[in-house]
Amino acid sequence: MRAKEVNKPRLIKPDEAAYRLGVSTLTIKKWLRTGKIPGVKVGSLWRIDESDLEKFIEERKQKN
């Protein structure tokens, strides 16, 4: 029997984050490298926790 998947984080690729934010994939990767947006590196690939991306979006909404 599989363990119950409660609050399992959904990791998304930089291209999906770029699409959602309306910026280029290169911009997302730059933001990941500089820490502007939180992410994790899996081998040589960046991944972003979907909840972190949502927080990033909400913080930007509040600043405007």
Side-chain angles (χ1 to χ4, degrees):
M1 187 172 190
R2 294 178 78 179
K4 191 173 183 181
E5 294 182 14
V6 178
N7 297 328
K8 182 180 177 184
R10 178 169 180 261
L11 299 177
I12 62 173
K13 297 177 182 179
D15 60 340
E16 183 178 341
Y19 176 79
R20 289 169 133 184
L21 295 174
V23 299
S24 74
T25 302
L26 292 176
T27 298
I28 294 294
K29 289 179 180 179
K30 177 183 173 187
W31 290 351
L32 287 163
R33 284 192 308 273
T34 60
K36 183 173 182 175
I37 195 167
V40 294
K41 216 167 182 189
V42 181
S44 63
L45 305 173
W46 282 102
R47 295 295 182 259
I48 303 163
D49 187 315
E50 189 172 34
S51 64
D52 287 338
L53 181 63
E54 293 301 322
K55 288 177 195 171
F56 178 83
I57 293 168
E58 285 303 315
E59 288 170 1
R60 296 315 178 268
K61 283 181 182 178
Q62 292 175 5
K63 288 183 179 181
N64 291 328

